[in-house]
Amino acid sequence: MSEPKSRRRGAELEQAILDAAWAELSETGYNRLTIEAVAARAGTSKPVIYRRWSNRAELVLAAWNRRLPARMDPLPADTGSLRGDLVKMFSEIARRVEGMLSEMLAGVMGETFRHPEITAVLRERLHNSPLAEVLTKILAEAATRGELDPLELSPRLIQLPINLVRLEAIHGGEKITDDTIHALVDEVYLPLLRGLELTARQTAS
């Protein structure tokens, strides 16, 4: 049995574990990934890993998140219009998605995200997603300007912009253009918000 590589601690140890988890995921896939293999590759032990992440799904998502571009600013500048704010938000999402969807990353994502335990962790994290804060701010400012009635979105509708952009990136195979962003806002998301506003008015009347 090989000796531990070094007595690393803190950020250095965490980085080694996450690098090892990503390497294992890329080489073996989620089904065959084990905490034992990650620990061996990182030169540490299973208890050390479990003190930081309670299960395999959380570890994999932490490794995944380490490879994302910087988090979206939860408080973007007000452009002065609902459409302008949504275009800015969708553009930022596109920047982040394009940063992670290389051919290899897309393949790993498709294989990994089909597992129920991953989906459960993602659903839990969605409640604290910066996107929820972004959208809440955008809708509140639109209501203040009188552009839109106050709306409260479900987690599924909060996640929709990411899913729309991700589908464009995966199926389009090219850089997401401004025209695509505008189409997603004008043809999908704005009409959806208007529909929700109309439904709420009809329910209240």
Side-chain angles (χ1 to χ4, degrees), residues 21-97:
W22 185 256
E24 286 292 318
L25 180 66
S26 302
E27 292 178 11
T28 69
Y30 188 77
N31 276 333
R32 295 187 298 277
L33 182 144
T34 66
I35 298 297
E36 290 91 339
V38 172
R41 185 184 286 261
T44 187
S45 65
K46 287 172 57 180
V48 168
I49 293 177
Y50 280 121
R51 282 199 293 270
R52 290 164 171 78
W53 301 279
S54 61
N55 55 51
R56 180 176 64 159
E58 289 189 358
L59 173 61
V60 165
L61 284 176
W64 177 270
N65 288 336
R66 183 60 66 91
R67 278 156 176 78
L68 293 177
R71 281 166 53 105
M72 181 188 301
D73 182 357
L75 297 174
D78 183 359
T79 66
S81 73
L82 173 60
R83 181 183 183 275
D85 287 350
L86 290 175
V87 167
K88 184 174 181 180
M89 182 193 74
F90 271 77
S91 298
E92 174 66 8
I93 292 172
R95 182 188 70 82
R96 298 181 75 238
V97 167

Side-chain angles (χ1 to χ4, degrees), residues 34-170:
T34 66
I35 298 297
E36 290 91 339
V38 172
R41 185 184 286 261
T44 187
S45 65
K46 287 172 57 180
V48 168
I49 293 177
Y50 280 121
R51 282 199 293 270
R52 290 164 171 78
W53 301 279
S54 61
N55 55 51
R56 180 176 64 159
E58 289 189 358
L59 173 61
V60 165
L61 284 176
W64 177 270
N65 288 336
R66 183 60 66 91
R67 278 156 176 78
L68 293 177
R71 281 166 53 105
M72 181 188 301
D73 182 357
L75 297 174
D78 183 359
T79 66
S81 73
L82 173 60
R83 181 183 183 275
D85 287 350
L86 290 175
V87 167
K88 184 174 181 180
M89 182 193 74
F90 271 77
S91 298
E92 174 66 8
I93 292 172
R95 182 188 70 82
R96 298 181 75 238
V97 167
E98 287 176 344
M100 70 178 184
L101 283 184
S102 66
E103 182 177 352
M104 186 271 288
L105 287 177
V108 172
M109 181 180 68
E111 191 270 335
T112 303
F113 280 36
R114 285 193 291 266
H115 291 267
E117 60 183 338
I118 287 285
T119 303
V121 174
L122 284 173
R123 187 178 297 114
E124 180 180 350
R125 290 187 178 187
L126 178 59
H127 292 291
N128 298 316
S129 168
L131 181 59
E133 187 176 355
V134 170
L135 273 172
T136 297
K137 180 175 184 288
I138 287 174
L139 296 182
E141 289 174 345
T144 299
R145 290 190 297 263
E147 291 185 86
L148 189 73
D149 291 348
L151 292 175
E152 184 173 342
L153 301 185
S154 68
R156 183 173 287 107
L157 293 179
I158 290 172
Q159 188 74 356
L160 183 58
I162 292 177
N163 291 333
L164 290 171
V165 172
R166 188 172 62 212
L167 285 173
E168 289 288 338
I170 292 174

